[in-house]
Every structure is written in C-alpha cells, then in structure tokens.
C-alpha cells in the first residue's frame, strides 16, 4: 500500500514537471521574448590570427614588444598591469639593461614611505617592481574617469570571452551610434559621457577611444602604426601578460601526448606478447 502511494506521488510529480516544461516550451515558441538592442547590434570579435593561438602557438616576440610600446604610450595612463613585473620583459626579448632603463624611465614611480618623515613618497622603479598603478586608489581612479573604474589589464584576455580577439574588436569598435538602433529601440540612445561600441556587452562604454588615428605612436622597429596594427599588437602583448608561460605549457602538453602515445603502444605490445599463446 505504501509503495503504491509513493509511486502515485512520484508519477504526479513527474507529470507536473512535464506539464510545466511543455508550457514553458510552448510559450517560448508561440510568444518569444522580444530581442534586445544588445542582442541585435552586438558585434562578435573576428579572429585576428595571432601566432600564439592554437594548440602549438608561439608568441611573435617582435609583435609583443610593439604591443608593450602601445601599452606604455597609450594604455598605461589609465590601466594598471599589477601582476606583471618589469623584469618579466626579459621574456619577450629585452635585455637586462634595457629592462632596467625602462623601469627607471617609467613616468609613474613606486609608492613608498619616507624613512625620515614617515610621509608618503615615491621612488624610481627597479626591475623587481610590478608595473605601478596610474592611480593611488580606486576612488582616485573613478574620480579621473567619470566614476568608471579602468580594469587592470594583466589578465584581461583571460577575463573576457575570446580575450585576444575581444581586445582588438573593442579597440576598433568605436563608431557613431546607428540611427536604426534608436528608431527600433527607443531609449537606447548612448548616454552622455559614454561611447557607442558594439563590441562591448551593453553597447556603451565609459572609456573614450584610446586609438584615435594612424601613426599615433612611432614603432621602434619601423612598422607602420595603423590603428588596426596597434590594436592587434596590444592584444598580442596582453595575451602574453595573461599567460607568459604559454609556450612552455604547449611544449609540456605536446611532450605528454607523445609520451602517452608511446606508452599505449608499449602496453599494446606487452598485451599481445603475454596473450599470444592463449586460446580464446
């Protein structure tokens, strides 16, 4: 008797769930939710084909150095790189002497304490230091950026979906808001102080266009600094900053696959040898 009641209760519960699911599916088909402006006008990043992409990708160190130059001359005014140290630049081809010179010449100095007065002070950067933040704290950062907090860029390509391509798409995505957006979605006009960028999640971003024109910087290697080139290069640099050991990880993965293939072959050979005289 108890079993029968339990089965009936279970069957009723399953039937209720099935009815609810059917109703949800029917509603979604017959009365779908209206599309949002973000869904219609959002632009997905295109593949920029960085050499570091793929299972066996390797960094183009010349491109990464150009990207560092873009970060240094354009992005560092607002964005920190707190998980990267100056000495890490040796991994992208700079010599120890060059790194020391870069650290000492960096515009923003390291915060410290004056040992004589106990007051806040600054000092020159050394290779062991992380890249200093352009702002003293979050309040100062928001005050300088219309209450928007510029994100740290150390891990930005890991924090955003399709990170490397996203960085490029965002930097190249600034444009005038299309008239059809406001026409089709009243109330979607870009608010004052924001900038229309369809590569951004909600189409409007507080950061002004950082790359404004071709030739904005002069590359040390002579490469023509178009907006697209600068966007690609800084995307390559930020890909490196998020995963500087990418090449060694790829190498370790390849070695592991080769080892497993050899191991499986040896196991198969041992199996055949042990059971070759056995009748099935």
């Amino acid at each position: 008797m108890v079993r029968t009641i339990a089965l009936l209760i279970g069957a009723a519960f399953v039937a209720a769930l099935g009815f609810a699911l059917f109703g949800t599916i029917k509603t979604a088909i017959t009365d779908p939710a209206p599309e949002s402006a973000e869904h219609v006008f959002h632009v997905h990043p295109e593949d920029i084909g960085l050499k570091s992409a793929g299972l066996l990708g390797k960094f183009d160190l010349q491109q990464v150095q150009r990207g560092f130059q873009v970060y240094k001359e354009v992005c560092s005014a607002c964005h920190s790189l707190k998980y990267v140290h100056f000495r890490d630049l040796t991994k992208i081809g700079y010599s120890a002497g060059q790194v020391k010179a870069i650290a000492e010449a960096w515009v923003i100095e390291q915060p410290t304490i004056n040992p004589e007065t106990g007051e806040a002070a600054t000092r020159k950067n050394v290779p062991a230091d992380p890249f200093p933040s352009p702002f003293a704290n979050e309040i100062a950062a928001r005050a300088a950026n219309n209450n928007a907090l510029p994100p740290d860029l150390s891990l930005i390509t890991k924090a955003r979906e399709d990170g490397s391509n996203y960085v490029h798409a965002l930097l190249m995505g600034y444009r005038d808001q299309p008239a059809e957006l406001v026409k089709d979605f009243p109330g979607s006009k870009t608010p004052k102080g924001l900038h229309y960028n369809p590569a951004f999640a909600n189409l409007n971003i507080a950061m002004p266009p950082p790359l404004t024109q071709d030739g904005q910087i002069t590359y040390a290697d002579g490469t023509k600094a178009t907006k697209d080139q600068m966007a690609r290069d800084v995307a390559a640099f930020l890909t490196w900053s998020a995963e500087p050991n990418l090449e060694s990880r790829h190498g370790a993965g390849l070695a592991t696959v080769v080892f497993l293939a050899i191991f499986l072959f040896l196991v198969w050979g041992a199996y055949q040898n042990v059971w070759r005289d056995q009748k099935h």
Side-chain angles (χ1 to χ4, degrees):
M1 184 65 180
V2 174
R3 179 178 295 180
T4 302
I5 294 174
L7 288 174
L8 290 174
I9 293 174
F13 182 71
V14 171
L17 285 179
F19 180 77
L21 179 61
F22 173 78
T24 301
I25 295 174
K26 180 181 178 182
T27 300
I29 295 174
T30 59
D31 187 21
E35 291 184 317
S36 65
E38 291 83 355
H39 177 76
V40 175
F41 288 89
H42 177 66
V43 174
H44 295 280
E46 65 176 17
D47 184 6
I48 59 175
L50 292 182
K51 291 185 178 180
S52 57
L55 296 177
L56 301 178
K58 293 186 176 182
F59 290 115
D60 180 343
L61 296 186
Q62 190 172 13
Q63 182 178 39
V64 174
Q65 287 187 12
R66 292 197 304 268
F68 168 66
Q69 189 176 347
V70 176
Y71 169 76
K72 175 184 176 182
E73 298 187 23
V74 179
C75 309
S76 64
C78 296
H79 294 277
S80 58
L81 204 66
K82 63 184 179 181
Y83 296 118
V84 181
H85 292 69
F86 285 100
R87 64 189 175 201
D88 294 331
L89 296 178
T90 57
K91 298 178 181 178
I92 61 173
Y94 289 104
S95 67
Q98 288 175 315
V99 170
K100 182 178 180 181
I102 291 171
E104 291 179 349
W106 201 259
V107 174
I108 305 167
E109 297 185 334
Q110 287 289 329
T112 186
I113 300 295
N114 188 318
E116 297 179 357
T117 65
E119 296 180 351
T122 59
R123 62 167 174 79
K124 291 286 186 180
N125 295 285
V126 298
D129 289 326
F131 282 84
S133 173
F135 304 105
N137 50 53
E138 180 179 331
I139 296 174
R142 289 187 181 278
N145 292 278
N146 195 27
N147 203 38
L149 181 64
D152 179 79
L153 298 183
S154 305
L155 304 174
I156 196 69
T157 58
K158 290 292 186 183
R160 301 291 186 269
E161 182 181 2
D162 201 11
S164 304
N165 298 325
Y166 167 80
V167 170
H168 173 266
L170 185 72
L171 293 174
M172 296 297 295
Y174 291 89
R175 62 199 66 175
D176 293 333
Q177 188 178 44
E180 58 267 28
L181 188 152
V182 180
K183 178 182 177 182
D184 296 342
F185 299 93
S188 296
K189 184 175 176 60
T190 298
K192 184 178 180 180
L194 299 183
H195 306 269
Y196 180 73
N197 190 327
F200 195 62
N202 66 2
L203 307 181
N204 300 303
I205 186 171
M207 180 177 69
L211 302 178
T212 57
Q213 60 184 1
D214 293 345
Q216 186 171 340
I217 66 173
T218 302
Y219 279 133
D221 65 359
T223 300
K224 187 176 181 180
T226 63
K227 286 175 59 177
D228 180 69
Q229 184 67 58
M230 290 185 288
R232 289 173 183 270
D233 293 343
V234 77
F237 171 70
L238 294 177
T239 300
W240 169 82
S241 73
E243 194 170 5
N245 297 320
L246 176 142
E247 292 184 14
S248 60
R249 179 173 63 81
H250 284 176
L254 178 61
T256 301
V257 170
V258 172
F259 169 79
L260 289 176
I262 295 174
F263 178 75
L264 289 174
F265 176 77
L266 293 176
V267 169
W268 178 81
Y271 171 82
Q272 294 296 320
N273 186 59
V274 169
W275 293 97
R276 69 178 185 275
D277 296 328
Q278 301 298 319
K279 292 183 178 180
H280 297 284

